[in-house]
Amino acid sequence: MMRDYIATTLGGLEPVLVQELESFGATDIEPGQRMARFKGDIELLYQICYSARTTLRVLEPLASFRILSEKDLYWKTFDLPWRKVLGPDQTFAITGVINSRMFPHTNYPSLVVKDALCDRIRRDIGRRPDVDRDQPDIRINLHIFEDQVDISLDAVGSSMHMRGYRRYQGLAPLNEVLAAGLIRLAGWTPDIPLWDPMCGSGTILTEAAEWAIGRPSQIRRGRFGFQGWIDHEPGIWRKVKLADREETIPEGLELFGADQDADIIEGARKNIRGAGLGEIIMTEVCDFFQLKPPGKPVMIIMNPPYDEKIPLEEAEDFYKRIGDKLKKDFTGSTAWILSANKTAMRQIGLQSSQRFQVFNGPLAAEFCEYRLF
Ligand SMILES: C[S@@+](CC[C@H](N)C(=O)[O-])C[C@H]1O[C@@H](n2cnc3c(N)ncnc32)[C@H](O)[C@@H]1O
């Protein structure tokens, strides 16, 4: 049976989210802001929850309505068929994303929805389910924008950027979903040598490696939200998990990372070895400006300090030197640079051939391509 789902992502990654959903066989994909709607069966849902890399959350919509007041929120929630969703012996938690002048206290609508849900189940069968914030059977997602309310079930349970491989964080680690999205926006394929010469904790390279060898993004996750759903299909879930176990290293895969800070590289190596990728990702302690030229075309994807979290004495001069180094030693290569420091980016002194705006946390960042002829 085909159902409607929503996949959420970070701002700017919508086009690659759509590509990834298509690659899984999702249909009727409709991109929106930081999300895409799609249709699929339960097997497709499980595949996406297990493997997708550009998705933050996967939701199954339950209800969508407008409200006039807090009372209206209570009664419209009370009227939903909760018994089809939640048994009295199951626990639940509500995650709210509230942006409405009706509710200055953003926690409050979640309490209203919790009361309505519990009151309704108690009226129907005499008992009410309990809240468990940490390990609920069912995680309910409440989204309110002004008077528009959307209630859905969270199929994964917590944000999918938590892959479980990054024990060491470095100075300013990239969100894993953003790193996966950048690799796709850049159009990298595993036959192109990929270099990250300011690799920090190694997120870009780890995402590239795991994607290239066909590893599901959530392989280390113990439990998925859908496993608590009343209509969960354990047989189909088992099939999805077992089918995805095969890992193959594509011929010619070359992933190289460097950072000037020896402690940071040590941390990155711990992450990489912990993920079983020690044979696939090579790393070196090296100042970018001293790095030996690759002697062949490579794709660079790098995320230099922005002068935000990491102080840079002379941000503009630093970016100018990055541009000079690229021009001098990387002829024939392509460099993609992510930075939220737009003024400094202009000092690179190269004409960008593509430019995307993406959000790195609250920071609007630019992701620019420079072809080094
Ligand atoms: C924003 S962080 C990169 C974060 C990384 N993408 C991650 O996910 O962990 C920038 C990194 O550049 C490194 N760096 C700064 N100047 C450098 C230089 N001249 N050569 C090499 N690495 C440098 C810093 O040590 C830092 O780890």
Side-chain angles (χ1 to χ4, degrees):
M1 194 182 67
M2 297 293 266
R3 297 200 215 169
D4 293 311
Y5 299 109
I6 291 171
T8 69
T9 192
L10 293 163
L13 299 187
E14 296 88 348
V16 287
L17 171 67
V18 169
Q19 271 173 25
E20 199 180 19
L21 293 173
E22 275 168 357
S23 74
F24 283 103
T27 60
D28 302 84
I29 303 171
E30 284 173 33
Q33 218 183 8
R34 299 184 181 212
M35 56 89 104
R37 295 177 185 277
F38 65 98
K39 284 190 200 296
D41 59 13
I42 196 112
E43 184 168 341
L44 181 99
L45 172 76
Y46 292 170
Q47 278 167 347
I48 290 173
C49 290
Y50 192 40
S51 297
R53 290 194 172 269
T54 59
T55 309
L56 286 174
R57 289 182 190 274
V58 185
L59 307 172
E60 176 164 3
L62 273 186
S64 189
F65 50 82
R66 285 179 184 270
I67 51 167
L68 297 169
S69 63
E70 172 205 322
K71 271 216 163 80
D72 209 19
L73 174 64
Y74 178 90
W75 286 111
K76 285 191 170 131
T77 307
F78 185 90
D79 282 342
L80 298 177
W82 286 111
R83 279 188 61 198
K84 287 194 191 148
V85 174
L86 189 70
D89 299 321
Q90 286 188 297
T91 58
F92 72 100
I94 299 175
T95 308
V97 180
I98 315 297
N99 194 342
S100 167
R101 274 167 288 181
M102 231 180 276
F103 299 104
H105 300 290
T106 51
N107 287 337
Y108 189 62
S110 302
L111 295 175
V112 174
V113 167
K114 181 202 81 166
D115 286 345
L117 177 169
C118 289
D119 291 350
R120 173 63 191 267
I121 295 183
R122 187 165 35 209
R123 191 201 71 179
D124 288 349
I125 44 179
R127 279 182 299 137
R128 51 153 282 182
D130 286 326
V131 172
D132 180 343
R133 272 181 228 290
D134 299 326
Q135 295 263 309
D137 294 318
I138 309 284
R139 192 175 285 277
I140 295 162
N141 200 283
L142 171 67
H143 188 273
I144 306 185
F145 183 71
E146 295 302 358
D147 61 347
Q148 174 64 41
V149 178
D150 291 284
I151 301 180
S152 46
L153 298 184
D154 189 327
V156 178
S158 58
S159 174
M160 289 171 74
H161 81 273
M162 290 186 258
R163 316 287 208 211
Y165 60 67
R166 200 166 64 190
R167 280 164 235 171
Y168 178 81
Q169 302 280 325
L171 289 177
L174 270 189
N175 180 300
E176 294 81 344
V177 167
L178 179 56
L182 297 180
I183 294 163
R184 281 170 178 76
L185 283 175
W188 178 74
T189 47
D191 54 322
I192 306 171
L194 179 62
W195 284 32
D196 179 355
M198 297 195 186
C199 71
S201 61
T203 320
I204 294 171
L205 297 166
T206 307
E207 283 299 317
E210 291 208 331
W211 178 37
I213 64 176
R215 183 179 288 174
S217 69
Q218 304 302 309
I219 198 161
R220 302 169 189 88
R221 185 178 285 270
R223 198 170 180 285
F224 288 77
F226 57 70
Q227 288 177 273
W229 292 4
I230 286 178
D231 54 1
H232 174 48
E233 300 261 11
I236 298 180
W237 171 224
R238 211 170 305 121
K239 187 175 134 200
V240 167
K241 265 188 107 163
L242 295 178
D244 270 335
R245 287 277 180 212
E246 198 72 19
E247 287 185 355
T248 44
I249 303 176
E251 209 164 309
L253 183 65
E254 185 187 316
L255 300 167
F256 170 70
D259 201 288
Q260 66 177 6
D261 187 318
D263 290 340
I264 287 181
I265 283 293
E266 196 38 50
R269 283 182 183 151
K270 279 188 195 147
N271 289 341
I272 290 165
R273 278 198 301 267
L277 300 169
E279 303 288 308
I280 300 180
I281 303 174
M282 298 303 129
T283 52
E284 200 177 300
V285 181
C286 189
D287 176 356
F288 173 64
F289 305 106
Q290 306 299 323
L291 208 57
K292 277 203 221 95
K296 61 183 172 194
V298 302
M299 180 182 277
I300 291 174
I301 303 184
M302 70 197 274
N303 163 220
Y306 297 166
D307 196 19
E308 282 277 341
K309 283 191 188 174
I310 304 170
L312 275 180
E313 299 276 75
E314 300 282 348
E316 296 187 15
D317 181 57
F318 184 75
Y319 277 69
K320 182 184 174 301
R321 288 170 60 220
I322 291 177
D324 293 346
K325 171 77 178 171
L326 291 173
K327 280 183 243 173
K328 184 164 135 297
D329 287 342
F330 289 87
T331 313
S333 295
T334 301
W336 283 88
I337 300 184
L338 175 76
S339 179
N341 192 330
K342 290 182 187 155
T343 320
M345 279 287 263
R346 271 183 232 121
Q347 304 306 315
I348 284 185
L350 287 159
Q351 186 67 40
S352 66
S353 38
Q354 289 192 71
R355 182 180 291 258
F356 296 99
Q357 174 162 286
V358 293
F359 281 83
N360 187 8
L363 293 177
E366 281 184 336
F367 187 49
C368 298
E369 179 192 48
Y370 303 97
R371 296 209 183 120
L372 306 158
F373 297 111

